[in-house]
Amino acid sequence: SVCKFISYSVGVHKMRDKLRKWREDNHRNSEQIVDVGEELINEHASKLGDDIWIIYEQVMIAALDCSRDDLAWTCLQELKRQFPGSQRVKRLAGMRLEALEKYEDASKQYDSILQDDPTNTAARKRKISILKAQGKSAEAIRELNEYLEQFVGDQEAWHELSELYINEHDYGKAAFCLEELMMTNPHNHLYCEQYAEVKYTQGGLENLELSRKYFAQALKLNNRNMRALFGLYMSASHIAACPKVNATVKKANVKYAAWATNQINRAYQLAGRGTKENKCSVKAVEEMLESMQITMS
Amino acid sequence: MSIKLTTQAYCKMLLHAAKYPHCAVNGLLVAEKQKEKKKDSHSTPILCVDCIPLFHGTLALAPMLEVALTLIDTWCKENKYVIAGYYQANERTKDFRPNQFAEKVGARIAENFSEAAMIMVDSTRFTMGCYEPILTIYDHHENKWKCRDCNADCFEDWCEAQKITSALLEGRSYESLIDFDNHLDDLRNDWTNPEINKSVLHLC
């Protein structure tokens, strides 16, 4: 009947839209992508039009994440058939080799891409990912630095590098990477907040004050960023409690911390409305803030 | 002496690791506060009754960890718990040794609780069937971390832990597990995971 046909189509559209949203948000919810994508590919391929190719790519990568080599292989074959000789598909073949831990073969695959096209950034980044997967952090960092000398605008790469440095506890260099990102993305509250976290972790009065400034900046850009709000509270509290600061600075930071306390309490009240489970969270936060204020004075 | 784990504690640890297979994850273990220190307290193992999943992804930053430790400490006091351990699963599957960060956090917890344990999850042996315990437990002795073999003795009831953890993994309960990161993203997310606690009880 006509009704059945319509609801069938709506289902397919919904699934396709889900996949698109996950693609756009760069979500790594691979199990769900495989669930939805496998059904779409197996049952509704004809209804997807040209979208099918990008869906094959998305599902293939998700399948690799879930050790579904059968599904990944199927997607890869379809893409190879449709786009013979494509560098993009070659890269996917390389990723499959990586998933199978055949790192040397994968590396050769990427080298062959780079031979034809030395500016292929995707292949270069995959080679760095291999180093990461093998635990060769120092080499990965070195290669990524070299890459960034050439491709200085690659934000994803700067962010990756900041994470590599954080894992090595090289907070100074991580901060530098985040500074690059903040310069080119002044309205991104997440970069501000992460920079503040790195500065806080570095420690010392100067870094604490910087961290407080950047937590505050992140809040200005997004007043619902809870990490920034907590961070502002923590950094201001620590500065106020520091014996080295003069009375003016102490007073100012006590004010910042008090303001943050208020905002945190408000946020928890708002969130806790209606759920009795969250009452314990609200109480715990109130007590935590109270106890910290005592140690601060 | 050494710690033992309840099913709920073990379960939630593994669900946390399963939810983020591509990330490092970490969290805390809590035990019931002992009323008084008995003379032969060396022989009674400490029972870790619950697990609080903390973060996933980049672990080695201080501010949110401090917030979590302080907040959870307050919560513990209300519930007569004490923070008794720290667990971590590294980003790379083959990397199951504790790193500098794990040791630091572990030491910090040991300051407040001398019998604190540091637990590393060995992802190479992580299966849906959960046929063997996949933890390595480290005890704090004289400022060093000493590795202890983890077998069925480290659990209140290993058979129950194995059965229930496996069942929850099959049922994809990890999709609804909340860690402290999720809580910071949306305060309504409850890091005590009451729904999963109910599921565990229900299966017992």
Side-chain angles (χ1 to χ4, degrees), chain A residues 11 42 81 131 139 161 222 282:
Chain A
N42 289 341
R81 200 173 334 181
L131 291 170
E139 285 179 56
L161 186 56
N222 181 339
V282 175

Side-chain angles (χ1 to χ4, degrees), chain B residues 40-175:
Chain B
D40 61 345
S41 63
H42 295 291
S43 52
T44 42
I46 291 135
L47 188 61
C48 284
V49 297
D50 205 358
C51 144
I52 314 286
L54 288 181
F55 305 107
H56 57 270
T58 311
L59 304 180
L61 290 174
M64 297 307 122
L65 178 61
E66 266 188 61
V67 173
L69 283 171
T70 316
L71 197 55
I72 290 161
D73 203 43
T74 309
W75 175 81
C76 276
K77 290 196 171 79
E78 262 178 52
N79 293 280
K80 306 229 177 15
Y81 286 150
V82 65
I83 297 178
Y86 168 79
Y87 73 87
Q88 185 172 303
N90 290 326
E91 187 181 6
R92 287 178 53 239
T93 323
K94 298 195 172 107
D95 208 356
F96 48 79
R97 272 176 318 239
N99 55 16
Q100 194 186 57
F101 184 73
E103 295 191 357
K104 254 188 166 166
V105 182
R108 167 101 179 248
I109 292 170
E111 278 174 25
N112 289 334
F113 187 73
S114 54
E115 285 108 355
M118 177 178 51
I119 294 181
M120 296 300 294
V121 180
D122 182 357
S123 303
T124 57
R125 294 181 291 147
F126 199 161
T127 60
M128 292 296 267
C130 299
Y131 300 116
E132 48 164 355
I134 61 171
L135 310 176
T136 318
I137 303 182
Y138 293 80
D139 303 306
H140 207 214
H141 284 304
E142 292 154 16
N143 269 324
K144 288 204 191 80
W145 290 100
K146 233 179 112 180
C147 179
R148 187 193 356 141
D149 229 359
C150 180
N151 49 37
D153 286 337
C154 301
F155 297 84
E156 191 183 32
D157 182 342
W158 167 245
C159 284
E160 179 192 81
Q162 180 270 316
K163 231 179 44 180
I164 293 180
T165 307
S166 180
L168 290 181
L169 284 170
E170 292 280 349
R172 294 211 201 166
S173 288
Y174 46 82
E175 284 176 1

Side-chain angles (χ1 to χ4, degrees), chain A residues 31 35 101 133 171 227 268, chain B residues 60 92 94 172 174 181 183:
Chain A
E31 273 192 311
D35 279 348
E101 295 184 84
Y171 300 110
R227 289 180 180 80
Y268 270 94
Chain B
R92 287 178 53 239
K94 298 195 172 107
R172 294 211 201 166
Y174 46 82
D181 259 332
H183 176 70

